[in-house]
Amino acid sequence: MKGLRLYKSEKLCSRTAVGNLFNGGGNATIAYPLRAVFRFHEPQGDAPAQFLITIPKKKIRTAVGRVLLRRRTREAYRLNRELLYPALREAGLAADIAFIYLSTDKAPYEVIEAKMQELLRRISRDALKTTSHEETVD
């Protein structure tokens, strides 16, 4: 994949994958106001990671507010996903990730970007731990 563009293959659309992610198959980490639920698996397509973004209506009541936060979160992921990709390639894994917005206030982009970087670093660390743990167990 070239450039910073988001491709369709990077979006998590499969009902099965989303179900596996949320029904006990995923790990979670929080960097307030974002929560990431993620699951590692064998690589299947072009993208090393697929993601989805959820902004709950219960937290942000207006559609305009939800769209604004979804765009900010997507942009933060798009610009910082390279923090995650090298670790996934090294580990020989792919990841499904769901980003969930937790706050009732609209966070500025700078806050969302900083927290996104923190989450991606944590997920990278877990991917490398998963690989090293599997190698020592075998």
Side-chain angles (χ1 to χ4, degrees):
M1 299 205 191
K2 297 178 182 176
L4 295 174
R5 182 177 164 204
L6 272 178
Y7 292 87
K8 171 72 173 158
S9 62
E10 294 179 81
K11 295 178 184 174
L12 184 59
C13 301
S14 166
R15 285 181 186 242
T16 306
V18 173
N20 290 338
L21 184 62
F22 287 108
N23 293 329
N27 302 321
T29 184
I30 295 175
Y32 196 81
L34 292 174
R35 176 178 186 239
V37 178
F38 57 95
R39 181 179 153 282
F40 299 118
H41 57 84
E42 295 297 318
Q44 297 165 350
D46 295 346
Q50 292 185 319
F51 76 103
L52 67 88
I53 298 169
T54 303
I55 314 293
K57 191 173 185 179
K58 192 171 187 176
K59 301 283 184 180
I60 306 296
R61 297 298 298 168
T62 63
V64 172
R66 289 192 302 276
V67 169
L68 174 76
L69 290 170
R70 193 173 298 114
R71 285 182 179 178
R72 287 179 181 174
T73 306
R74 187 183 313 123
E75 183 71 0
Y77 176 79
R78 182 183 73 85
L79 293 175
N80 295 294
R81 64 186 169 201
E82 286 304 319
L83 296 172
L84 175 66
Y85 284 5
L88 289 175
R89 287 187 188 111
E90 183 180 331
L93 296 171
D96 293 338
I97 308 168
F99 296 105
I100 304 163
Y101 193 79
L102 300 175
S103 178
T104 54
D105 299 323
K106 296 175 194 165
Y109 174 75
E110 292 77 22
V111 171
I112 292 174
E113 184 177 33
K115 299 305 179 172
M116 178 65 71
Q117 290 171 350
E118 186 178 331
L119 288 172
L120 293 176
R121 285 189 189 103
R122 287 182 193 170
I123 295 169
S124 298
R125 224 173 300 130
D126 282 358
L128 294 173
K129 280 184 196 174
T130 300
T131 304
S132 63
H133 179 1
E134 286 176 357
E135 290 173 359
T136 57
V137 171
D138 291 337

